[in-house]
Amino acid sequence: MPDWFTPANWFTPDEWRAVALSLRVSVWATALSLPLGIYTAHLLARRDFWGKHIVNGLVHLPLILPPVVTGYLLLLAFGRKGFIGQYLDQWFGLVLAFKWTGAVLAAAVMAFPLMVRAIRMAFEAVDPKLEQAAGTLGASPLWVFLSVTLPLILPGIIAGAVLAFAKAMGEFGATITFVSNIPGQTQTLPSAIYTFLQVPGGDSQAFRLVLISIAVAMLALILSEFLSRAVARRIKGT
Amino acid sequence: MSLSVALSHQFPGFTLEVNFTATPGLTALFGKSGSGKTSVINAVAGLLHPDQGRITADNTTLLDTRAAINLPPHRRRLGYVFQDARLFPHLTVSQNLAYGRWFAPKTPNLKNGGPNFDDIIDLLGLNALLNRRPTALSGGEKSRVAIGRALLSNPALLLMDEPFAALDEARKAELLPYIETLRDQTQIPILYVSHALAEVARLATTIVVLDQGRTLRAGPAADLLADPDLAPSLGIRAAGAVLTATVTAQNSDGLTQLHTHGGPIWLPKIAVAPGTKLRIRIAVQDVILARQRPEGLSALNILQATITEIRLSEDGALIQLGLGPEHLLARITRRSAEALALCPGQTVFAIVKSVAAAQTDVGTR
């Protein structure tokens, strides 16, 4: 295989470490939050329950809250002495603070509102009457979900995942607060850009990473828009 | 198989209080829009949970609020044909048809061994549509697929909520024979919601009349349609009794001769074999009464009858006529009723204008 074919050769080792870490963090953050995202979207789109506004607010909070606050709250909760973190450490030996796993959590929390929003809109586009019809034909609620709802909203789920992935690639504030900016450990792509820009003449080094960020974001937006249209087409059956 | 329904439910500003028993055959829930028909059928389907009620189909209790029994829709074993078809847009016609079959109980409960895919396809003429998507179908085709899908789920009860409401008269006329075939050839009882009296008169074995959320009347179709007290609520212009007629001969001049309890009648050619029983409907407006058998009249169909009941109201007189065990209903002016000195027990002759027995109002039974 020629050298140029390996992405690692496109970058300096520092840059590549940051890009590879961001990819890993984003994949994990998206994959782990997707089931909860689908569940939450379904809850918000289809169920009426006491405290729905509070759940809705909590889900969307990271979108509005200063990211540094989200990161600080994560540190309080999931730090090694945090009220959840200490048990994760004791029972599972899982430490999140200042580890790449913590970057996964931070990225997942920050990307969650975007994911839920896209999937929720897909759920809301599905006519509950179709699900009722499936029920009268003998399908249990789980089967209705698997055989009618899920196939209809699948593009919407992918759209949500793509947006969440792109958001996770770009997450900076909460990540740097919660897991700091340790090269090779927690230095994600935006953190690397930030570090380069702190050094006089670092602009040129940051340039390629900036381009990548723009490309990822733009692609994700176009793709998710396309997929959202696919939901509408699918539901209309054209 | 019989279905018994008793329920009450309080909607904001509307009370539903319904009680009836549906015998085998087709039971029509008839009433104006807003009379609660769809709510009743939804309660039977389990899509509406009434405040109080008990719904049983044969020995299965679908709902009993006192005993806290409420079977979810998917356990009720019913086929629901919705007003708006509700085909699954991501599936082809044949996948839509197979959907209910997948969940149907594998042990057939029907005498004929359960619904056969090919039979249903033939019955509803769906062969050419199987590989299409629902969006590529016309309204009538969608309705047929929805009926097929419901039947193939091997239901113990078929619910139909104005399945042809969205269709024009021509399409409707094309599809009504399918419903008649279902009623006569399958053992599945049908609960059929409609606000079109002609449709109900043609199809129903039993009629349940709903008015503002209450059961106004429930009983055999022929009795209710010939009841002068009920005619105003059914809509005086559309009201009319149904008679059973047997085809006796196909005449060479293109007319079909039928036998009724009031004598022979002739209708424009109906292509069925002699011996076939037909249900004919005669609207109240289309009957003229005479005290003697009229002569020198162009009308062919003159039935001898006995007056059984007279109902005078502000806008006319409704006369119920007995033809053997059957009844006919005529609407005349009060002035005519007085001029003829009509009274119960009297023998009269009913001149039925030939338009009254239009082909679309003739149904097999």
Side-chain angles (χ1 to χ4, degrees), chain A residues 75-230:
Chain A
L75 199 56
L76 287 184
F78 293 96
R80 192 166 266 185
K81 300 269 180 281
F83 61 91
I84 300 173
Q86 57 177 311
Y87 296 110
L88 287 179
D89 188 11
Q90 271 175 35
W91 296 344
F92 307 108
L94 183 65
V95 178
L96 295 176
F98 308 110
K99 297 276 176 120
W100 77 272
T101 44
V104 170
L105 179 65
V109 167
M110 294 300 288
F112 201 61
L114 286 176
M115 175 187 276
V116 169
R117 225 180 158 70
I119 301 174
R120 176 186 180 166
M121 274 160 62
F123 269 120
E124 282 168 353
V126 174
D127 190 348
K129 288 175 170 180
L130 283 178
E131 295 163 316
Q132 282 186 348
T136 63
L137 288 164
S140 66
L142 181 65
W143 272 114
V144 172
F145 183 77
L146 292 176
S147 63
V148 175
T149 319
L150 201 60
L152 285 173
I153 66 163
L154 195 61
I157 290 177
I158 301 171
V162 167
L163 278 178
F165 179 84
K167 173 72 185 166
M169 282 293 283
E171 213 306 298
F172 175 64
T175 308
I176 203 163
T177 313
F178 183 37
V179 296
S180 187
N181 184 1
I182 309 159
Q185 293 253 359
T186 61
Q187 189 175 73
T188 57
L189 191 148
S191 309
I193 296 174
Y194 174 74
T195 306
F196 287 137
L197 293 180
Q198 298 305 299
V199 185
D203 307 35
S204 58
Q205 278 187 288
F207 184 66
R208 268 185 294 193
L209 297 183
V210 169
L211 281 186
I212 289 179
S213 298
I214 296 171
V216 167
M218 200 62 207
L219 271 176
L221 286 170
I222 292 172
L223 191 60
S224 70
E225 180 66 24
F226 173 79
L227 288 164
S228 299
R229 278 163 205 264

Side-chain angles (χ1 to χ4, degrees), chain B residues 26-28 30 164 169-181 183-184 192 194 196-207 221-222 225 238 240-243 270 277-282 358-365:
Chain B
L26 188 145
T27 301
F30 176 80
F164 309 133
E169 286 304 319
R171 285 274 162 233
K172 212 188 265 186
E174 213 171 87
L175 288 173
L176 286 176
Y178 291 119
I179 307 294
E180 289 170 335
T181 316
R183 180 194 63 199
D184 301 335
Y192 189 97
S194 179
L197 191 60
E199 210 171 289
V200 169
R202 176 170 169 166
L203 298 172
T205 319
T206 307
I207 299 180
L225 291 169
V242 291
L243 299 178
I270 304 166
K277 282 191 184 225
L278 297 178
R279 176 192 284 209
I280 59 170
R281 174 161 177 267
I282 297 164
Q359 183 95 21
T360 47
D361 272 351
V362 178
T364 54
R365 202 192 142 100

Side-chain angles (χ1 to χ4, degrees), chain B residues 48-228:
Chain B
L48 168 78
H49 183 54
D51 297 337
Q52 275 169 32
R54 196 176 134 79
I55 301 173
T56 55
D58 268 348
N59 299 322
T60 316
T61 305
L62 303 180
L63 173 87
D64 190 341
T65 44
R66 263 192 220 152
I69 296 172
N70 179 23
L71 282 189
H74 67 278
R75 300 245 179 81
R76 294 198 176 193
R77 302 239 14 250
L78 32 88
Y80 195 154
V81 182
F82 297 89
Q83 222 177 92
D84 47 351
R86 301 195 191 176
L87 302 180
F88 303 124
H90 60 299
L91 303 178
T92 63
V93 167
S94 73
Q95 286 167 332
N96 264 285
L97 290 169
Y99 190 90
R101 210 154 70 119
W102 174 261
F103 297 105
K106 299 298 176 259
T107 46
N109 75 319
L110 302 176
K111 285 180 194 159
N112 58 9
N116 176 298
F117 192 82
D118 296 329
D119 289 351
I120 303 277
I121 304 296
D122 284 348
L123 175 73
L124 295 168
L126 297 175
N127 245 318
L129 310 176
L130 291 178
N131 294 320
R132 291 212 220 148
R133 294 258 166 192
T135 32
L137 302 179
S138 72
E141 289 168 339
K142 277 184 196 159
S143 299
R144 264 150 56 200
V145 175
I147 294 169
R149 183 178 68 173
L151 285 175
L152 284 166
S153 69
N154 192 10
L157 174 68
L158 195 59
L159 308 176
M160 304 182 108
D161 184 7
E162 309 210 24
F164 309 133
L167 306 182
D168 55 42
E169 286 304 319
R171 285 274 162 233
K172 212 188 265 186
E174 213 171 87
L175 288 173
L176 286 176
Y178 291 119
I179 307 294
E180 289 170 335
T181 316
L182 288 181
R183 180 194 63 199
D184 301 335
Q185 292 186 5
T186 65
Q187 309 295 318
I188 312 169
I190 305 171
L191 194 57
Y192 189 97
V193 164
S194 179
H195 68 267
L197 191 60
E199 210 171 289
V200 169
R202 176 170 169 166
L203 298 172
T205 319
T206 307
I207 299 180
V208 177
V209 185
L210 296 184
D211 185 38
Q212 291 174 9
R214 281 163 210 283
T215 326
L216 194 64
R217 288 285 296 278
D223 293 359
L224 261 60
L225 291 169
D227 186 339

